Each structure stands twice: as structure tokens, then as C-alpha cells.
Amino acid sequence: MMFEAKVYAERRERLISAMSGGLVLILGNPEAPYNYPANTYHFRQDSSFLYFFGLDQPDLAGVIDLDDHTDWLFGDDVDIDDIIWMGPQPSMSERAALVGVKQTAPLAKLPDILRQAIQKGRRIHYLPPYRGETYMQLENLLGIKVAGIPSNASGELIQAVVGLRSVKDDYEIAEIEKAVDIAYEMHTTAMKMARPGIIEREIAGIIEGISLSRGGPVSFPIILSIHGETLHNHYHGNILQPGRLMVTDAGAETTLHYASDITRTVPVGGKFSDRQRDIYEIVLKANMDTIAATKPGITNLSLHMMAARIIASGLKDVGLMKGDTDEAVAQGAHALFFPHGLGHMLGLDVHDMEGLGENHVGYDNEVTRSKQFGTAFLRLGRKHHPGFIFTIEPGIYFIPALIDKWKGEDKFTDFINYEMVEKYRDFGGIRIEDDILVTQNGHKVLGRPIPKKANEIELLMQEI
Ligand code: GLY
Ligand code: MN
Ligand code: MN
């Protein structure tokens, strides 16, 4: 599955316009062994390769000549042995035509082309790799030692790719909406299954199956736990107990590999206690007010700080925080409860383009990363533009180890009511995450709305 050929041809044209000169080398991914060489993980193509060259098979490489405006696909035609195991396959030239590339050559020719260019003193631009196999491939192709591969990656290419991939076109927006619609099925199913006595993996397995049956694999390993205070909890062995909250952070990939990333938090058994509801409403307000404030020109850092203030002020109303809210947030006291960022870009990667460098994707000359615990973990700080798609995912967590550490250090005793916090040690955590498109004048929450108001969730959980 892929977009029309002209979509990829136009993207390559735009890349050429955005860069000065030389060759761009975009390596597709190879297969990755799981427990022995021929038993591989589910194949996942590199996202930048998908963006510019669309093809979803292993062992391909794309080259764009920035000076004579030509592009090449390198890859091998299958032989009869491959056909016996894999079935008939299109030829390389047929594949290349699907993405508007005219010139193809066997993979064995790639080193020659690159060597010739290097000999002429031409720059080979490549992106930072993230797999061992690709490091070795780049060492062999370019003669750069593995240790030097990241620092020799092209800053100019990174900036150009981030510039293009940050602004989603209509085809991409439609794909991400599909991915959220799959997440709707996953999350409403998880809500209905969240009954006392069931084991987390029974729910996690079913919703992973929904993703597979409707599009592709999940867009990241499912986080589903009654210990939502552990932010990325992949352990699915707990039995659901009455009185606990279940956090489900899960998304799907479409057949074209666009991602969704949604979090919902529900009370086991379907009824929020008063204490749970009070904290839930604070997180929901942080989620909804920051969504409502989203528009071009506003920085994501300011949305993050807005969420932090809503959380601090809500916790003050409950009695868990105290003192001046703005001062508490300025000093970072809220991060005991909200120790992560408000969100990140979303696209072909669930943390879109994170492999190209978080600071290149999320920050610029105007907005630089905070050094303060909590806000420092914000992946996207810069100004929003129409076409950006990103997540809004505030949370409140009671993390016993962090509470003990800060209390032991007498940290922020002017702002944190540790005596009351102690009573919440067994509370768990709450996160509410949606996927947002920045439009010309404002924003759009993507996909079919997934229940998130406390009463909507309770109503849905009654339907079994
Ligand atoms: N799914 C991980 C996150 O929300 O960033
Ligand atoms: Mn998530
Ligand atoms: Mn997320």
C-alpha cells in the first residue's frame, strides 16, 4: 500500500529545493533477526525512506542527486529461490515506477556510485542511523568508522527532512485519522474489559489484535497497567483489582505506517471514586484547555506550562500542593506529579522523527530546551504551524520512589503538602492523551472522539 507516485516525486523535488548540493543517501531497513538469523522481527521500513521512496520491502536504498536532480533506487530483483519462499514479486523497475523513480540498479552497484562521488569531492548526506546493521552498512559504504557515523550525519539533510515531515499533507492527515479510528476500537474495547479479576495481558493482547486486524502492528509496545504511575509500564501481569485505575497508552499503525498515540485512564469496574474523580478532572482540564488553546503561532512550551499551572492549581484545590501556583510552577514543584512533557510530534513514527534528534525536531533558535526536571523532558517546545500533528498528554502520577526522594531532601516544602501526598502513595497515575492537528486558524482533534469525560467513560463501561 502506498500513495500515488507523484506524492513521492514531489517530496523528493521539495527536498532538492531545500538543499544546496551533493548526494542524499536514504537507506531502507534490512530485516532484523529475532532469535536466529532467519527468524526475523516483523519488518518495519525506515520512516524517512517511506516518506521519500514509499517502498515497504527490506534491503533497498534511495539516492537523490541534488545537482542533476535525478534519483535512483538500489535493490535486487528476486531469483527463483526467493519466489519459491516468498511468491512472485514485482521487479525493481516496476517497484521504482510506483514511486516515480526511473533509474534502478542492483544493490551491489551502490558502493561504486558513492565511491565515485566521494572521489570527486562531492558531499554524501545521510541521516543518523539507529540500527546496528545500518551503522555497519554506512561504514562499508562511506569508509567512516562506526563511532564517527552519528557526528558525520548531515545537519543540512536533518533540517530539510524535519522541515518537510513536520508539515503533514492531506493524505497524511487522512492516514493518521484512520490510525486514531483504530485506536478508538482499541480503547473502547479495553474500557469494557477493565473488570476486576482480569489479567492486564488479556486486555493488552486483544487490543493489539485489533490493531493488527485493522491496519498494522501497534505503533509502540502497549502500555497498559494498574500501575500507571510507572510512565512506560510494559509489564502486563497484574490482576485488575477493584479501586485501581487502569492506564492504557496504545496506538495503531495504518497499512501505510502512519501512527496514532492515545491514552485513556479508567476505574477498574467502571465507577470512579470521589478521590479518583477529583484528580481525573484536573488532568482532563489540562488536556482540554491546552487543546482549546492550540493554534498556529503558540509555542508548545507555553501549552506545556499552561498544563503545569492547571495541574498545580488543581492539586492546590485538593490540598496536595500549596503556596503560590505560578511560583510553584516556575520552580518546578509540579513535576513531582507531572514529571514528563505535554507531548511530541506524531506521524510515520509515534515520536515523529525522534531518531533525527529530538532538539532538531522539537526546538529551534527561538525556543530552547529547559534544563529543569520535568520540563526538560518536553520533546516539542517550538512554535506551532498549520499541518503539525502532535500529542497532548498531561498526567498526574504518585510515584512512591520520587515522593520518598523529594521528601527526604525536603524539596519544595513550601509548595508540596507531603503529609497529604503520603495518603496517595497507592493511587497510581492518570494520563489522558489525544492526537491534534494544527489548522490554519486553530486545531482539530483527530479521529472519532474516544470517551474521556468521567461520565462518558462510566456510561461506556456499563455496556458489556
Ligand atoms: N506512547 C508513548 C507516549 O505517549 O509518548
Ligand atoms: Mn502515548
Ligand atoms: Mn505520546
Side-chain angles (χ1 to χ4, degrees):
M1 283 278 291
M2 56 187 65
F3 299 126
E4 287 172 50
K6 72 170 194 318
V7 171
Y8 302 100
E10 279 168 17
R11 288 173 179 176
R12 294 191 300 272
E13 279 299 323
R14 283 204 288 264
L15 184 64
I16 290 170
S17 308
M19 293 192 62
S20 54
L23 289 185
V24 169
L25 169 65
I26 309 239
L27 293 174
N29 275 334
E31 295 277 15
Y34 180 49
N35 54 342
Y36 54 90
N39 201 32
T40 56
Y41 286 101
H42 181 95
F43 176 69
R44 178 52 156 82
Q45 185 58 287
D46 174 72
S47 295
S48 289
F49 187 87
L50 280 175
Y51 187 82
F52 292 108
F53 290 98
L55 298 175
D56 199 7
Q57 293 86 30
D59 303 323
L60 298 170
V63 170
I64 302 171
D65 189 319
L66 298 167
D67 302 309
D68 73 5
H69 295 205
T70 52
D71 33 35
W72 289 78
L73 265 167
F74 293 85
D76 296 334
D77 282 322
V78 294
D79 61 19
I80 183 67
D81 287 353
D82 297 319
I83 291 171
I84 292 167
W85 292 98
M86 299 154 60
Q89 304 289 322
S91 68
M92 271 309 296
S93 55
E94 285 165 338
R95 281 183 181 156
L98 292 173
V99 293
V101 175
K102 294 194 184 66
Q103 305 181 85
T104 65
L107 211 49
K109 289 269 184 242
L110 180 60
D112 299 343
I113 300 261
L114 297 177
R115 206 170 308 120
Q116 282 165 21
I118 292 168
Q119 274 165 7
K120 287 189 193 144
R122 301 184 69 197
R123 173 89 202 264
I124 314 279
H125 301 273
Y126 66 88
L127 295 171
Y130 48 89
R131 289 193 186 184
E133 290 87 346
T134 319
Y135 273 91
M136 288 192 289
Q137 199 182 359
L138 285 168
E139 180 178 273
N140 292 334
L141 288 170
L142 304 176
I144 301 170
K145 287 257 171 281
V146 159
I149 297 273
S151 57
N152 280 289
S154 165
E156 189 187 353
L157 179 60
I158 291 170
Q159 291 301 342
V161 172
V162 168
L164 290 173
R165 284 182 55 189
S166 294
V167 179
K168 271 65 181 178
D169 61 34
D170 290 347
Y171 303 105
E172 296 182 289
I173 296 166
E175 277 299 308
I176 295 174
E177 289 227 83
K178 276 189 219 164
V180 181
D181 287 346
I182 301 171
Y184 173 95
E185 298 294 339
M186 294 163 72
H187 282 274
T188 53
T189 302
M191 288 176 191
K192 290 178 196 171
M193 288 182 75
R195 303 274 138 200
I198 195 165
I199 305 173
E200 291 160 347
R201 73 171 70 88
E202 296 179 64
I203 309 176
I206 294 286
I207 68 171
E208 183 149 358
I210 292 173
S211 178
L212 283 163
S213 67
R214 297 275 309 273
V218 286
S219 50
F220 58 95
I222 289 175
I223 298 162
L224 185 150
S225 183
I226 55 170
H227 283 287
E229 75 278 10
T230 302
L231 302 183
H232 280 181
N233 200 334
H234 299 303
Y235 175 72
H236 296 151
N238 297 304
I239 299 173
L240 268 59
Q241 310 282 355
R244 302 250 6 140
L245 291 163
M246 180 179 82
V247 170
T248 305
D249 183 349
E253 266 189 19
T254 64
T255 48
L256 272 76
H257 302 291
Y258 284 87
S260 56
D261 183 10
I262 300 283
T263 307
R264 290 292 182 264
T265 305
V266 304
V268 172
K271 198 101 190 89
F272 285 96
S273 69
D274 290 344
R275 187 172 91 145
Q276 287 170 340
R277 188 184 287 263
D278 287 346
I279 305 293
Y280 189 87
E281 292 299 336
I282 303 169
V283 181
L284 186 64
K285 182 172 166 54
N287 166 286
M288 293 182 64
D289 287 8
T290 50
I291 291 174
T294 298
K295 60 178 183 198
I298 193 164
T299 69
N300 205 52
L301 177 61
S302 64
L303 294 180
H304 173 89
M305 298 318 297
M306 181 180 178
R309 279 192 300 275
I310 292 168
I311 286 169
S313 132
L315 290 173
K316 185 177 164 183
D317 292 344
V318 174
L320 286 156
M321 289 188 76
K322 57 187 179 178
D324 183 72
T325 297
D326 287 347
E327 196 47 39
V329 169
Q331 293 192 27
H334 63 282
L336 176 64
F337 308 99
F338 176 39
H340 63 73
L342 186 65
H344 49 85
M345 291 241 180
L346 177 77
L348 281 162
D349 304 305
V350 67
H351 290 178
D352 208 23
M353 302 171 278
E354 194 162 293
L356 304 186
E358 263 187 44
N359 285 345
H360 296 303
V361 178
Y363 292 90
D364 55 18
N365 301 333
E366 234 173 58
V367 185
T368 52
R369 187 185 284 264
S370 160
K371 292 189 169 52
Q372 189 181 75
F373 175 83
T375 305
F377 307 135
L378 178 63
R379 296 189 157 100
L380 173 64
R382 66 185 168 119
K383 208 181 256 175
H384 282 297
H385 293 274
F388 278 17
I389 293 184
F390 72 112
T391 66
I392 286 197
E393 49 181 307
I396 294 179
Y397 314 86
F398 295 86
I399 305 168
L402 189 59
I403 295 168
D404 290 345
K405 181 166 189 291
W406 281 28
K407 193 178 166 190
E409 293 168 359
D410 283 331
K411 207 164 167 169
F412 298 129
T413 46
D414 290 347
F415 301 121
I416 295 167
N417 179 357
Y418 284 106
E419 214 178 289
M420 186 163 175
V421 170
E422 282 300 331
K423 302 199 177 92
Y424 281 69
R425 289 177 75 89
D426 63 347
F427 184 93
I430 293 174
R431 178 164 64 253
I432 308 173
E433 176 174 26
D434 290 299
D435 300 340
I436 316 298
L437 166 71
V438 183
T439 60
Q440 290 299 329
N441 306 313
H443 62 273
K444 180 178 177 208
V445 182
L446 293 175
R448 182 171 176 193
I450 304 170
K452 65 178 173 182
K453 297 208 169 108
N455 60 345
E456 288 169 358
I457 288 174
E458 290 182 343
L459 212 62
L460 185 104
M461 290 179 80
Q462 283 169 19
E463 291 172 25
I464 331 177

